[in-house]
């Protein structure tokens, strides 16, 4: 149940006309009163003898207890209370009880016999509107400070008492929701999302990997947004605001939104905090020894950065963990921007969902997150990835690692009682799981085929390495369909001059594997990253696609392993 406190107004009759009217799209059905301060207020919806003016005069009578110059200009308090889509339809009596609880909790009518006058109007199955006059019966102003938070707290109790959908409690760090007017305007113009939401996503993606104001504003302009900068008299840049070219007001002028109104961390000062902690790129950083392409090299480095971030979230301070979680959002944005078409939708959804998980009241300690910042920048400058070959395989590799990273973020948020952030991180993991299903089959099918064709003596040798390194997991791994891919990966690490058992110990000892349903799949990607092995093989892409189609199965992080791939007949 979502209560929303709207801006205070000065026109009681104007709001009543809306509440008892047909609505913007004639969606108001049977508008009527369900409750009021004295249980006897006139109902212009169902009483033919009552008018909206009658109700307005009754509600505004306390204003006349004050001299004209003492009356508050903004005296109309307005709160809407909406049930969740999957909640049962409540009766008028139930809504009346909910209205009384909300006005009591917010201080509008605390039950002392001299509260504000109010009325609750229902014009749809799923919500009510409460209107009140902000002058008490004794002429004093009500104590409705922080009424929004107080209404939310009462809503959580109402959900329990009425067995309604439980809304995750917020902490005031979420991005501002679109207003009703913004949603209705978007619907009228056939938009899927409101301009505020579209601008927030575009600005967030422009921040990903950017290291300077010029780069950031250049990306905003290149994306087609209208950008205005706010300058001090000295010429110093103080802030910015953005607009969509086709989103205009009644006068035909673009509707601009300051960055801080899109999300708390999109104000210019907060963005500058990220840049202030950056360091100059290390010129010695190059691509891997395998001379992989730009996008593939960037994905490898992002996988390494994600692995390092996992350790910080598990063992670092809260401020360091908060910084790494925030920068994980940038990596997800950068990955979605540069993804191949077949994985782009799920990765964009993952980045959008994780946006809520990037903020909490624990202030991020910038500087420790440089590896992730650099990873996001590498992804952007590495360019768009192909959906096959080394690009496609390293995409599966980084998605696999990011799955564990956002899962760790979900656990961290849950431990700190950040309910909304934890839920957002879990939703992100689901989108990453779906993206992995699309990205992983071709390279895994090839590795499986190579592993199945290993000589028996070599397979036994790699099984022995497995028993030496992780005896407690060996039986489980050998029984998994992914063992063939892991066996050939262990053989490849040995050919590259590494000790397979030592690498296995390193791959497992620094991070638990209990949350993995296919341990062998996870170890394949970790070992190929650690040993700098090609994530893909030399098999032509068309053969990989054929193999993937013939298998149709791949173990996905967090899901049960699937059946063993079969050869095409």
């Amino acid at each position: 149940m979502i209560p929303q406190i709207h801006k205070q107004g000065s026109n009681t009759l104007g709001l009543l006309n809306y509440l008892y009217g047909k609505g913007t799209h004639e969606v108001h059905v049977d508008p009527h009163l369900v409750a009021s301060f004295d249980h006897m207020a006139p109902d212009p919806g169902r009483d033919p003898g009552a008018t909206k003016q009658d109700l307005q005069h009754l509600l505004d009578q306390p204003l006349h207890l004050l001299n004209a110059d003492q009356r508050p200009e903004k005296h109309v308090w307005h709160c809407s209370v909406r049930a969740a889509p999957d909640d049962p339809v409540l009766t008028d009596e139930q809504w009346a009880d909910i209205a009384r609880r909300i006005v009591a909790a917010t201080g509008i009518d605390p039950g002392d016999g001299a509260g504000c006058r109010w009325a609750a109007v229902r014009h749809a199955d799923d919500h009510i509107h409460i209107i009140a006059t902000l002058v008490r019966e004794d002429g004093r102003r009500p104590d409705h400070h922080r009424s929004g938070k107080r209404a939310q707290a009462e809503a959580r109790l109402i959900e329990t008492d009425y067995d309604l959908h439980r809304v995750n409690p917020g902490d005031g760090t979420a991005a501002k929701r679109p207003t009703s007017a913004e949603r209705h305007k978007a619907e009228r113009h056939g938009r899927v999302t409101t301009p505020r939401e579209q601008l927030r996503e575009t600005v967030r993606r422009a921040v990903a990997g950017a290291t300077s104001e010029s780069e950031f504003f250049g990306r905003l302009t290149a994306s087609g947004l209208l950008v205005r900068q706010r300058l001090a008299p000295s010429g110093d840049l103080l802030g910015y605001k953005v607009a969509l070219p086709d989103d205009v007001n009644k006068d035909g002028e673009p509707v601009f939104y300051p960055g801080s109104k899109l999300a708390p961390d999109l104000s210019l000062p907060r963005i500058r905090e990220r840049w202030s902690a950056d360091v100059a790129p290390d010129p010695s950083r190059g691509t891997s020894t395998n001379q992989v392409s730009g996008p593939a090299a960037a994905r490898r480095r992002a996988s390494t950065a994600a692995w390092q971030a996992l350790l910080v979230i598990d063992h670092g301070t809260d401020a360091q963990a908060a910084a790494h979680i925030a920068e994980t959002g940038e990596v997800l944005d950068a990955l979605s921007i540069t993804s191949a078409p077949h994985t782009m939708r799920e990765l964009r959804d993952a980045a959008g969902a994780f946006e809520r998980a990037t903020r909490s009241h624990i202030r991020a300690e910038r500087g420790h997150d440089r590896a992730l910042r650099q990873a996001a920048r590498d992804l952007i400058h590495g360019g768009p990835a192909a959906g096959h070959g080394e690009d496609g395989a390293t995409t599966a590799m980084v998605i696999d690692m990011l799955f564990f990273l956002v899962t760790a973020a979900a656990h961290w948020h849950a431990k700190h009682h950040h309910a909304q952030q934890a839920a957002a991180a879990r939703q992100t993991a689901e989108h990453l799981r779906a993206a992995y299903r699309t990205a992983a089959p071709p390279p895994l099918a090839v590795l499986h085929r190579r592993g199945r064709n290993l000589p028996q003596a070599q397979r036994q040798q790699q099984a022995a390495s497995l028993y030496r390194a992780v005896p407690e997991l060996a039986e489980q791994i050998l029984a998994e369909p992914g063992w063939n891919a892991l066996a050939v990966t262990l053989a490849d690490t040995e050919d590259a001059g590494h000790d397979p058992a030592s690498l296995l110990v390193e791959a497992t000892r620094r991070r638990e594997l209990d949350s993995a349903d296919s341990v062998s799949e996870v170890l394949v990607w970790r070992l190929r990253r650690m040993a700098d092995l090609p994530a893909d093989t030399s098999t032509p892409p068309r053969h990989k696609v054929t193999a993937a189609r013939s298998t149709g199965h791949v173990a996905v992080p967090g899901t049960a392993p699937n059946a063993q791939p079969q050869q095409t007949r």
Side-chain angles (χ1 to χ4, degrees):
M1 180 157 288
I2 302 294
Q4 181 177 0
I5 310 297
H6 301 268
K7 289 183 178 180
Q8 293 174 201
S10 57
N11 188 347
T12 303
L13 183 58
L15 180 54
L16 289 174
N17 282 333
Y18 166 74
L19 298 181
Y20 279 97
K22 293 182 178 180
T24 309
H25 301 287
E26 297 190 351
V27 294
H28 296 178
V29 179
D30 185 25
H32 60 281
L33 208 71
V34 293
S36 67
F37 69 101
D38 63 353
H39 309 283
M40 296 184 293
D43 181 7
R46 290 186 174 177
D47 182 356
T51 66
K52 291 185 282 291
Q53 288 83 357
D54 293 335
L55 183 54
Q56 177 243 322
H57 290 318
L58 180 66
L59 293 175
D60 284 349
Q61 276 181 4
L63 290 174
H64 301 290
L65 296 174
L66 305 176
N67 295 328
D69 60 346
Q70 295 178 322
R71 296 171 189 171
E73 180 183 357
K74 302 289 187 180
H75 66 271
V76 181
W77 185 84
H78 176 203
C79 174
S80 58
V81 187
R82 187 177 299 272
D86 55 349
D87 281 338
V89 177
L90 301 176
T91 65
D92 282 354
E93 290 73 19
Q94 289 172 321
W95 276 119
D97 176 60
I98 290 170
R100 285 188 284 269
R101 293 178 63 167
I102 293 293
V103 295
T106 55
I108 295 299
D109 187 2
D112 59 358
C116 298
R117 295 191 176 189
W118 59 272
V121 178
R122 181 181 188 180
H123 55 208
D125 284 342
D126 63 348
H127 70 279
I128 59 171
H129 292 262
I130 306 172
I131 178 175
T133 300
L134 291 174
V135 176
R136 289 164 45 93
E137 296 283 6
D138 55 13
R140 294 186 293 118
R141 299 295 300 275
D143 176 15
H144 64 108
H145 179 61
R146 299 172 67 87
S147 59
K149 288 186 176 295
R150 291 154 70 175
Q152 291 289 349
E154 186 63 27
R156 303 293 81 79
L157 300 176
I158 292 171
E159 290 162 358
T160 300
D161 293 344
Y162 281 90
D163 194 22
L164 303 176
H165 174 82
R166 300 322 195 253
V167 174
N168 290 317
D171 59 2
T173 62
K176 181 176 173 59
R177 294 173 177 268
T179 65
S180 298
E182 290 171 353
R183 290 195 300 270
H184 292 155
K185 181 180 178 182
E187 292 174 3
R188 291 196 303 272
H189 290 84
R191 296 181 184 273
V192 177
T193 59
T194 64
R196 183 191 297 274
E197 294 167 309
Q198 187 175 342
L199 289 168
R200 180 164 58 240
E201 179 181 0
T202 304
V203 173
R204 197 184 70 236
R205 296 171 76 181
V207 173
T211 57
S212 66
E213 291 175 3
S214 60
E215 184 177 7
F216 170 59
F217 287 115
R219 290 186 188 180
L220 291 180
T221 302
S223 67
L225 300 188
L226 302 178
V227 182
R228 288 182 181 173
Q229 297 181 352
R230 183 165 60 90
L231 302 176
S234 63
D236 294 336
L237 180 61
L238 299 178
Y240 73 98
K241 54 185 178 180
V242 290
L244 298 176
D246 58 348
D247 179 36
V248 297
N249 59 21
K250 61 181 180 181
D251 298 321
E253 299 173 341
V255 180
F256 281 88
Y257 293 81
S260 60
K261 298 299 183 183
L262 298 177
D265 54 349
L266 293 182
S267 67
L268 188 59
R270 294 291 298 276
I271 293 173
R272 281 172 170 163
E273 288 179 7
R274 314 184 197 197
W275 299 332
S276 65
D278 286 342
V279 292
D282 183 355
S284 66
R285 285 168 56 96
T287 58
S288 73
T289 56
N290 292 301
Q291 299 299 312
V292 293
S293 63
R299 278 153 174 73
R300 280 184 173 275
R301 291 196 285 269
S303 297
T304 299
W307 172 261
Q308 295 168 349
L310 268 170
L311 303 178
V312 175
I313 293 174
D314 284 346
H315 306 296
T317 67
D318 283 344
Q320 293 169 348
H324 281 76
I325 291 172
E327 291 312 322
T328 299
E330 282 201 40
V331 174
L332 287 168
D333 279 318
L335 185 63
S336 70
I337 294 170
T338 59
S339 175
H342 67 298
T343 54
M344 183 174 290
R345 179 175 178 179
E346 288 294 348
L347 289 175
R348 287 186 66 172
D349 288 345
F354 198 72
E355 185 266 346
R356 181 63 190 98
T358 59
R359 293 184 302 274
S360 71
H361 283 300
I362 297 176
R363 190 65 179 267
E365 184 179 323
R366 297 294 180 179
H368 299 278
D369 51 358
R370 288 169 183 158
L372 283 175
R373 286 276 298 153
Q374 185 63 46
R377 185 169 179 80
D378 287 346
L379 287 167
I380 295 294
H381 289 273
H388 53 75
E390 190 70 13
D391 283 6
T394 51
T395 296
M397 176 187 290
V398 72
I399 292 173
D400 175 81
M401 188 59 70
L402 286 170
F403 175 90
F404 284 97
L405 180 55
V406 301
T407 300
H411 294 329
W412 184 86
H413 278 306
K415 182 177 69 175
H416 290 81
H417 307 291
H418 303 157
Q420 290 185 355
Q421 291 91 330
R426 289 191 291 268
Q427 183 183 1
T428 303
E430 293 304 312
H431 289 300
L432 289 175
R433 178 183 285 117
Y436 182 89
R437 281 197 189 97
T438 304
L444 286 177
V446 174
L447 288 172
H448 174 84
R449 184 170 63 247
R450 287 185 58 214
R452 190 171 51 191
N453 292 333
L454 280 176
Q456 185 63 26
Q458 197 171 9
R459 288 171 62 87
Q460 291 174 348
Q461 178 184 347
Q462 303 312 329
S465 296
L466 187 68
Y467 274 106
R468 288 199 307 273
V470 284
E472 71 282 1
L473 293 173
E475 292 293 340
Q476 174 186 343
I477 292 173
L478 289 171
E480 290 182 350
W483 162 241
N484 286 326
L486 180 57
V488 76
T489 294
L490 291 169
D492 288 345
T493 64
E494 190 170 24
D495 290 343
H498 299 281
D499 175 23
S502 297
L503 278 184
L504 274 172
V505 171
E506 178 69 10
T508 56
R509 73 176 176 87
R510 297 176 66 186
R511 180 68 191 173
E512 58 84 19
L513 290 166
D514 293 341
S515 59
D517 288 321
S518 178
V519 176
S520 53
E521 295 273 341
V522 174
L523 293 177
V524 163
W525 298 121
R526 291 186 185 177
L527 291 174
R528 302 197 81 81
R529 177 188 58 79
M530 294 166 61
D532 199 21
L533 299 172
D536 190 39
T537 68
S538 58
T539 307
R542 62 185 181 86
H543 292 163
K544 297 187 188 74
V545 173
T546 302
R549 287 174 180 164
S550 68
T551 66
H553 297 289
V554 60
V556 179
T559 63
N562 294 300
Q564 209 171 35
Q566 299 295 320
Q567 289 276 24
T568 331
R569 293 188 179 180

